[in-house]
DNA sequence: CAGACTGTTCAAAAAAACTTGAACAATTCC
DNA sequence: GGAATTGTTCAAGTTTTTTTGAACAGTCTG
């Protein structure tokens, strides 16, 4: 029926808006986040004025439900904030654009929880390994579990460094 | 019919094997890789002896196709290698266990390509932005695109540092 | 070289993830 | 208060991703 180009398309986006949205759609995909997040953040990022939920629905051509949930997640990640001083019943959103904040939010919401749950699983694993009666096997398990522990530890050390490097 | 515990289950895995497999299933999920990769790598990681494709099929209870493809991906990532000195027609696999190698492979296969494609998209974006006739708009675009460029640059700088920190 | 064995491929099936949309709650405005 | 507006929720629908399994290619073995 209409242009067979990209998946994200809606006659309401200019060429540059479309390209930036696509850029972020790819970006969030790498991070394992749903495409709608990339669309929403991308459009906010390339908009001079804050946008309302309805603006996003109309311009992106996606459902109200998606935008509502997407905005919530983005807020949780610290990637968007509500704009102040708008004389309107609606809430308007603008993007956070400093890398430090973005990276920090991503680490806090997406990385840390997994690191933490990993650490607790490791504890459990150590207990299970202790049950082994064969000494050779036991030594092998211990060696591998120690390695896992060192990986987790490195990961934990890495995060602050990451934030330091990216947030300047 | 049988135990209703976890999704990965097959009477062929010991408790510790099962736990390690689950650990890695979670791990690869964070990285956006399919669960079968975690199962395969996890079982290899906690096995004293190298395992053949058929060993993995039997112990994990997943299809030959999955294991075949999974091993290929893991080889590409540098996460498993073929064991030497096995007097058997089959190929046996063992895990790579140094973090440096694992991280390096992941960066090479999963991160770099996206960074590179992002950079080329940015070039295209700059061209599109140059078409804008409104000077205010043009300035806004330029500012945002510069920001994107700085993000990409930071990302590029980060990778070697990452490898340095993790690979010791 | 025929049969057995190992491993790959890829179309179809299954599972997982995401999006939609309609019902609903909450708020504002007259 | 009642109508209008804004935003949320979540079951159902859709899309995407992963897994399966059967056909096939390649290789070894007797």
């Amino acid at each position: 029926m209409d242009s067979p180009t990209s998946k994200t398309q809606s006659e309401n986006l200019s060429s540059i808006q479309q390209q930036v949205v696509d850029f972020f759609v790819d970006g969030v995909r790498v991070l394992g986040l749903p495409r709608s997040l990339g669309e929403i953040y991308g459009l906010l990022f390339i908009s001079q004025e804050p946008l309302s939920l309805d603006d996003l629905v109309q311009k992106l051509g996606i459902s109200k439900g998606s935008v509502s949930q997407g905005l919530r997640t983005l807020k949780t990640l610290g990637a968007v904030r509500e704009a102040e001083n708008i004389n309107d019943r609606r809430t308007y959103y603008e993007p956070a654009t400093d890398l430090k904040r973005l990276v920090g939010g991503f680490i806090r919401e997406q990385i840390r929880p997994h690191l933490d749950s990993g650490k607790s699983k490791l504890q459990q694993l150590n207990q299970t390994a202790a049950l082994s009666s064969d000494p050779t096997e036991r030594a092998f398990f211990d060696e591998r579990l120690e390695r896992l522990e060192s990986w987790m530890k490195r990961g934990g050390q890495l995060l602050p460094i990451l934030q330091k490097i990216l947030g300047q």
Side-chain angles (χ1 to χ4, degrees), chain A:
Chain A
M1 200 192 257
D2 49 14
S3 78
T5 42
S6 157
K7 272 180 183 170
T8 310
Q9 46 70 29
S10 78
E11 46 267 48
N12 304 310
L13 294 189
S14 71
S15 170
I16 193 161
Q17 286 174 326
Q18 187 61 63
Q19 281 180 75
V20 170
V21 166
D22 287 348
F23 184 92
F24 280 101
V25 164
D26 269 32
V28 299
R29 153 174 287 262
V30 175
L31 302 178
L33 300 171
R35 106 177 253 118
S36 60
L37 287 198
E39 297 183 304
I40 296 166
Y41 184 83
L43 184 54
L44 290 174
F45 184 85
I46 203 60
S47 294
Q48 279 184 271
E49 307 298 336
L51 302 178
S52 70
L53 189 150
D54 274 344
D55 291 338
L56 290 161
V57 168
Q58 283 181 26
K59 297 197 186 184
L60 292 172
I62 62 181
S63 73
K64 209 155 61 122
S66 271
V67 175
S68 175
Q69 291 182 189
L71 282 172
R72 174 165 53 180
T73 304
L74 287 169
K75 274 187 276 186
T76 305
L77 286 169
V80 310
R81 61 171 147 273
E82 305 187 357
E84 306 286 328
N85 312 322
I86 302 262
N87 184 28
D88 188 331
R89 188 165 153 186
R90 266 163 287 199
T91 306
Y92 284 76
Y93 298 91
E94 54 192 13
T97 62
D98 64 305
L99 199 50
K100 182 178 194 167
R101 187 177 179 71
L102 296 172
V103 171
F106 185 76
I107 288 176
R108 170 170 37 74
E109 297 298 321
Q110 310 282 304
I111 311 287
R112 276 249 202 274
H114 286 284
L115 265 188
D116 294 345
S117 95
K119 276 177 190 162
S120 83
K121 281 191 187 154
L122 253 176
Q123 289 189 313
Q124 175 57 44
L125 261 170
N126 275 313
Q127 293 183 8
T128 306
L131 302 177
S132 167
S133 45
D134 175 353
T136 309
E137 187 184 68
R138 176 69 197 280
F140 171 71
F141 288 161
D142 283 350
E143 184 255 315
R144 288 289 149 113
L145 293 185
E146 263 170 41
R147 192 172 286 270
L148 275 190
E149 258 151 45
S150 109
W151 290 1
M152 304 293 286
K153 196 171 146 215
R154 293 257 181 99
Q157 291 171 338
L158 193 68
L159 299 191
I161 297 174
L162 232 172
Q163 289 180 284
K164 199 168 195 174
I165 292 169
L166 293 176
Q168 284 164 16

